[in-house]
Amino acid sequence: MKNLKDYVPPSFVVERDDYRCIRCKACVEQCSFDATFYDEEEDRVWNWNANCVGCNRCVAICPTEAIVVRRAEPSYRYNHNWSGHIDSLKKRAMFGGTPVVSMGNDKPYPIYWDHLLLNASQVTNPSIDPLREPMELKTFLGRKPQALSVSDGGLKTRLAPQLELEVPVMFAAMSYGALSYNVIEALGRAAKEVGTYYNSGEGGLNKDHYKFKGNIIVQVASGRFGVHKDYLDVGSAIEIKIGQGAKPGIGGHLPGEKVSETISETRMMPKGSDAISPAPHHDVYSIEDLRQLIYALKEATEYKKPVAVKIAAVHNVAAIASGIARAGADIIVLDGFKGGTGAAPQVIRDNVGLPIELALAVVDERLRQEGIRQDVSIVIGGGVRNSMDVVKAIALGADAVYIGTAALVAIGCTMCQQCHTGRCAWGISTQDPHLGKRVNPDIASKRLINLLEVWALEIKETMGAMGINSIESLRGNRLNLRGVGLTEKELEILGVLPAGE
Ligand code: SF4
Ligand code: SF4
């Protein structure tokens, strides 16, 4: 019998105009969450509002614009202390487990990007028109020499291996397993076309995607799924994943039902078994251990590839980053707490970590103070939403950024936060072959290319307004930033002056 105490009000209400509806059943066939059904006897389409996740697939597909999905107003009495906590408490009591969620932290913590304003040239230093003058966005990631020695017109200094990016934006680590085959295909094609990199994530690399050699960063995570000699050889760089912004301090879990034949081959694990990534690497319990792993990977790839270390932005991030630089990493990746995930416990996603803006500012400053900033490049991710976030990140000290959620939104994600269910109605975060076909790699890659090309144009436009013609001159140039609506302490941590000064 239904337990009335289990009642949780729906989050969305589907409104269908019965006069407009032509009973084509497209919405019924397309809804992967069973929120819509057709009643043959009454010749009507009905909804289960409780199942609706607000993905808006039905709204987009309806040929007669008969559907509107609205956010449901909570029907409980408003309570400043308890509203927003009642359903989550009830779910724990009902199911006896901690809720798993996906995408990034959606709580209203401050977004520091929106409290930073950029500078522009006026009279005393001329601005530059990017349509008439050359503008340089090319970025090299990897260890830089302290000084260059040149003789007979040639460079004598032996340079460490570098990644070469045409635009300082890369596609963040998102594994095949979390994402569908066609999405990975689209990311690879776009990275190749634009001259940047996509990151394999921790799920290994399907052999079909070896063709993207030259534009792939391969990840080595705690589960070591799919890590072998050929995999390392295909990567232009190797990224050791210690942590992830959306779930610092914990490992990962790909449920067995997502481990299909091809995923099992790619990950080198039995089909249908859960892919568990432990919280720590079982051979890394100190900076010295990390150094051994970094050099083991350098040795395995004949010192031809930069090795990156990715950590979640946490409270003592600056000291950890300093240790990573001294351990021999060529690139440090900082992932902020707004970063996305295919699945994470809600309590961790919503309460652990640091805003990436603050983490970036303190890491860049610390490495400069210690005189080791040139030993590593800094790449940030976790909440980069637009080209101006990229410009502000570079002015704060980043060499480049990773985008994950923004890339998925570009190919159709509506942020319904259901990736962990594997039933993504847009075919993005699913291994269901039927759903996966909803992403056409030709169209998806074109959209990703458009996104990066438009961002590149916007970045050049903004640099031109500042009178800067090379991204190198913007890097760590915090004088081009001013803070608004920030406390003195926040301004101090960010290392920027208040607007007006
Ligand atoms: S897609 Fe639109 S027209 Fe077709 S059944 Fe659904 S509501 Fe009716
Ligand atoms: S990837 Fe799919 S399931 Fe995940 S948030 Fe986007 S639309 Fe929703």
Side-chain angles (χ1 to χ4, degrees), residues 140-150 155-162 330 371-377 472:
F140 292 92
L141 300 181
R143 177 176 297 261
K144 307 290 185 299
Q146 289 273 9
L148 291 177
S149 107
V150 181
L155 187 63
K156 282 275 178 257
T157 313
R158 205 161 146 239
L159 295 175
Q162 305 280 320
D330 303 291
I372 54 172
R373 179 64 182 85
Q374 77 289 340
D375 290 353
V376 278
S377 293
E472 285 293 326

Side-chain angles (χ1 to χ4, degrees), residues 103 413-419 424 426 428-429:
M103 297 312 282
C413 163
T414 51
M415 300 283 285
C416 70
Q417 302 187 335
Q418 298 301 313
C419 320
C424 175
W426 295 92
I428 296 168
S429 58

Side-chain angles (χ1 to χ4, degrees), residues 190-203:
K192 207 170 185 73
E193 176 71 25
V194 175
T196 185
Y197 299 84
Y198 83 96
N199 189 311
S200 69
E202 63 174 301

Side-chain angles (χ1 to χ4, degrees), residues 23 70 80 129 189 198 223 229 236 263 315 377 390 396:
R23 277 68 172 163
R70 297 192 195 285
H80 189 71
D129 182 349
R189 286 191 204 176
Y198 83 96
K229 182 80 172 78
S236 296
I263 299 286
H315 298 185
S377 293
V390 180
L396 269 182

Side-chain angles (χ1 to χ4, degrees), residues 16-17 20-28 36 45 58 61-67:
R16 180 177 286 94
D17 184 336
R20 281 178 172 247
C21 176
I22 55 170
R23 277 68 172 163
C24 70
K25 297 181 224 156
C27 55
V28 179
T36 298
V45 182
C58 59
I61 203 122
C62 177
T64 60
E65 295 180 0
I67 307 173

